[in-house]
Amino acid sequence: MHKLYFLFISLFMSLCAIASNADTLLINIEKHELKRKDTLFFECDYKFDNPTKSKITLNVVIENVETKHQWKFRYPLINGNATPGIVIGDLIPEGRYAVTFLLQNNFLSVKGKIKDYDEKSKGYNYLLLTKNKDSYIGFLSPTPAGYFSTPKMIFEDTARIVFSEIGKKNQHLYIDIENYLDSTFTPIAKITEFISIGKIDPKIDTAQITNYKFDLNENKKFTLNEVTVKSLIKKKVELFDEEYASGLFKFGSPQIFDGIEGTQIGNATDIFSFLQGKIAGLKVSREATGNYALKWRESNVDIYLDEFKVDNEMASYVNTNDIAMVKVFSPMGGGPTGNGAIAIYTKRGSYYTENSTRKYNFQVIGYTPDIYIWK
C-alpha cells in the first residue's frame, strides 16, 4: 500500500514537472464583439524554455465561418510577446469570424542558391530596401554549392532585395530564393478564438462555432461566372503596368518606355544614358564624381526601383536588359511625388524570358504592421 502510494506521488510529481517545463501559448482578445472601424486588439504571451524560440513568428488567420473566406497576417514574436491591432475596414462583412493564432518556429529570413556559383569570386552582397525607405546592406557566405541564408530580419509590408557580386557593375547573377515564412510549416502551438462583427443571429452563431474546424493546409478554390470580354490586344508592357504598378504609380500622365518588347533600353549602357534627351524638361548630366544628376527645371527628380525610393547610383547599377518598363512622371503629371519621378520596373514572373541568364532582384513579403487596416 505504501509502495503504491509513493509510486503515485512520484508519478504525479513527474507529470507536474513535465507540465511546468512545457511551452504555453496564451491569447487575450480585448473585445470579442466589434463593429466596422473598431480595432481588434489582442495580446500574445508565449512561455518557452528553449532560447532558440526567443524569435519566432505569430501567424493570424481570420476566417468568415460562413463563407470560409480567409485573411492572413503575421507578426514577429520577440521573447514571446506581441500586441498588434487590426482595424476593421468598412467593407468587411458582418458575421462571425474565427481567429486562429499559429506559432511558426521560424523568423523572417531569405534562403537561396546562386546558379553557377564561383568560389573564386570576391564575394556577394545584398541590399534590402524597405517601404519606409530604410536600407540594409549585408554580406553573403554561400556554401561551396552556392547555397546561402540571410540573417534574421524585421521589416513591415514588403521590401526589395537586390543581390550583387562584389567588384562587378553589370550583374549576371541568376539566383533562386525563398522566404522562410512563405514555406509550409507545422505550428508548434495553435489557438482559435471567435469574434463577431455587427449583428449576429444567435441560432446560426451557435451552430457555426460548434461545427467550425480550421484546416491549415486547406486549398480553397473559387469559380467565377463566365464572362465574355471583347477588347483590343494589349502590348506586354501595358499588361505589365496593370499587374505591377500600384498606388500613386498607377495614376497621372507618365511617359512609358518599353523594355519587354523594345530593344533600346537593353542596348543602353545604363538607364540614365538611355533617358538623356528623350524627355522634354528632364536634364540628365554627370557630376565630377561620375554619378548622375537629374533635374527637372532645377528641381531634383525622385528615382524609384520597383516602387522603392533609391538614389541615382543604385538605379544606374541595374542591368538594362533586366528592365521591363520605365515610367517618367513630370512635376505636373501626377505620380508618387510633386518633384517629377522616374519609376524603373524590373522584369519578373512570366516577363522573364525562358533563356534569361540573370535573376537577382526580388520582392520579399515581410511582417504585418502593428496597426493594420483589414480590407
Side-chain angles (χ1 to χ4, degrees):
M1 180 69 179
H2 289 291
K3 290 182 179 180
L4 183 60
Y5 173 76
F6 284 118
L7 179 62
F8 174 79
I9 292 297
S10 299
L11 180 60
F12 176 76
M13 292 180 67
S14 297
L15 291 173
C16 288
I18 293 172
S20 64
N21 291 328
D23 294 356
T24 56
L25 172 63
L26 298 174
I27 298 293
N28 179 41
I29 293 181
E30 184 182 68
K31 192 166 58 172
H32 288 77
E33 297 179 358
L34 304 106
K35 305 184 297 295
R36 295 188 183 104
K37 295 185 179 180
D38 283 350
T39 301
L40 170 63
F41 285 109
F42 58 87
E43 180 178 2
C44 175
D45 184 16
Y46 177 54
K47 304 296 184 184
F48 57 92
D49 289 322
N50 191 331
T52 61
K53 295 179 181 178
S54 61
K55 286 185 179 180
I56 59 175
T57 298
L58 171 67
N59 291 270
V60 180
V61 181
I62 303 180
E63 183 174 47
N64 184 307
V65 296
E66 184 175 3
T67 66
K68 302 301 180 184
H69 188 80
Q70 289 185 350
W71 294 261
K72 297 180 180 180
F73 314 86
R74 64 187 180 204
Y75 304 92
L77 195 62
I78 310 296
N79 294 325
N81 295 300
T83 56
I86 300 174
V87 181
I88 300 170
D90 293 334
L91 301 179
I92 299 300
E94 292 187 340
R96 173 63 72 177
Y97 290 82
V99 186
T100 301
F101 302 85
L102 306 139
L103 292 191
Q104 183 177 355
N105 193 18
N106 220 322
F107 206 76
L108 178 54
S109 178
V110 173
K111 60 181 177 179
K113 184 180 187 302
I114 301 172
K115 185 179 179 181
D116 299 326
Y117 172 63
D118 182 5
E119 291 187 74
K120 296 179 181 178
S121 70
K122 295 180 180 179
Y124 298 84
N125 287 329
Y126 64 88
L127 172 65
L128 185 76
L129 303 166
T130 68
K131 280 284 189 180
N132 62 7
K133 302 177 184 178
D134 289 335
S135 62
Y136 305 91
I137 297 176
F139 180 78
L140 297 178
S141 299
T143 68
Y147 291 96
F148 65 86
S149 178
T150 67
K152 294 178 179 180
M153 303 178 288
I154 296 181
F155 61 85
E156 295 181 346
D157 204 311
T158 57
R160 177 64 49 180
I161 188 167
V162 183
F163 296 90
S164 62
E165 185 174 357
I166 296 173
K168 293 189 178 181
K169 181 171 181 178
N170 294 321
Q171 299 299 327
H172 291 277
L173 287 174
Y174 193 101
I175 300 177
D176 286 314
I177 72 163
E178 182 181 352
N179 184 348
Y180 275 105
L181 297 189
D182 294 336
S183 304
T184 57
F185 70 97
T186 300
I188 58 175
K190 182 181 75 171
I191 290 178
T192 297
E193 297 277 349
F194 292 90
I195 63 170
S196 62
I197 299 175
K199 296 180 180 179
I200 301 294
D201 185 332
K203 294 181 180 178
I204 297 176
D205 180 47
T206 301
Q208 288 173 338
I209 293 176
T210 302
N211 299 324
Y212 178 79
K213 290 182 180 179
F214 175 77
D215 185 353
L216 177 64
N217 300 312
E218 183 178 0
N219 293 317
K220 296 179 174 59
K221 297 181 180 180
F222 299 90
T223 303
L224 300 178
N225 293 329
E226 184 176 345
V227 177
T228 302
V229 178
K230 295 181 180 179
S231 64
L232 297 175
I233 297 175
K234 293 184 178 181
K235 294 182 178 180
K236 288 184 179 180
V237 72
E238 294 176 306
L239 297 173
F240 183 95
D241 187 25
E242 290 178 359
E243 186 172 356
Y244 291 108
S246 63
L248 294 174
F249 294 89
K250 292 186 79 74
F251 303 103
S253 304
Q255 189 166 345
I256 297 178
F257 296 93
D258 181 3
I260 299 173
E261 295 177 292
T263 58
Q264 287 189 336
I265 293 178
N267 290 332
T269 305
D270 56 59
I271 188 58
F272 298 129
S273 64
F274 165 77
L275 290 173
Q276 279 182 315
K278 287 187 169 59
I279 309 292
L282 177 65
K283 298 178 181 179
V284 181
S285 60
R286 289 271 194 173
E287 298 175 329
T289 59
N291 294 332
Y292 280 99
L294 290 93
K295 299 280 187 180
W296 207 303
R297 296 188 177 92
E298 307 310 318
S299 297
N300 289 327
V301 177
D302 296 315
I303 309 298
Y304 293 86
L305 176 61
D306 292 325
E307 301 186 358
F308 292 84
K309 193 172 183 180
V310 298
D311 59 28
N312 298 353
E313 185 178 9
M314 172 69 194
S316 70
Y317 271 75
V318 177
N319 192 311
T320 53
N321 285 296
D322 296 326
I323 295 175
M325 174 179 70
V326 179
K327 302 180 79 168
V328 181
F329 299 86
S330 74
M332 303 300 292
T337 71
N339 300 331
I342 297 172
I344 304 163
Y345 291 81
T346 56
K347 295 175 182 176
R348 66 199 81 168
S350 61
Y351 298 94
Y352 270 114
T353 58
E354 291 183 3
N355 60 352
S356 175
T357 59
R358 292 175 301 277
K359 190 168 70 169
Y360 57 88
N361 190 322
F362 306 89
Q363 178 175 280
V364 182
I365 301 174
Y367 288 108
T368 306
D370 278 345
I371 298 296
Y372 186 77
I373 299 178
W374 173 14
K375 300 176 183 178

